[in-house]
Amino acid sequence: MACVSRRAAARATFAEQGTDASLREVARRAGVGIGTLYRHFPSREALLEALLGQGFDTLRAQALQSLDAPDPAGALVSWLRRLAIASTRYEGLPASVMEALRDPDSRLHASCEGLRAAAADLLARAQRSGQVRRDLNAGELPATTNAVAWAARQTAGSAELVDRYLSLLVDGLMAGEVEATG
């Protein structure tokens, strides 16, 4: 079997069972032995990195492209939405990302750090514009966005629910008085 088949099997397994799914199940779906899977992906983190790395690179590139957008806060919010929706792809993904951010030895750490750095640049630009509160730090963005993704995944995981939760979060990000709604 080609490596693409192992990745496809991992995507399908993680989509159905979450990032804690059995690697034996991934190997079974790929039609290979567990040893073959481990030769290509020596750990769960290595497999997740192979599945998520390209998506993380795309998100990072989108953030960098958004640094020239005319509306800094709008660019930040749009990017956070893409990040939150991507984080709902697999059950357990937000927790895996947060764990990778805390563990510099994780295979996912570099990809996650790239996302955090891109988020920091978008946040700093929006803060300099006066649109986003200054007391927010870049480390809080992935945590709160992952919380939105986790909450959406627990209920329905739809893009509409991510938008709703994210709009509630964004109200707290913006500078100035937050109006109470009722």
Side-chain angles (χ1 to χ4, degrees), residues 74-104:
L76 175 65
V77 171
S78 177
W79 185 81
L80 288 174
R81 179 183 186 277
R82 287 192 293 271
L83 176 62
I85 288 172
S87 296
T88 64
R89 180 171 296 137
Y90 306 124
E91 180 69 38
L93 184 57
S96 296
V97 169
M98 293 310 295
E99 185 177 322
L101 282 168
R102 290 188 299 269
D103 180 6

Side-chain angles (χ1 to χ4, degrees), residues 56-76:
F56 285 178
D57 290 345
T58 299
L59 282 166
R60 187 176 152 279
Q62 290 170 341
L64 295 175
Q65 291 170 350
S66 297
L67 288 172
D68 295 330
D71 176 13
L76 175 65

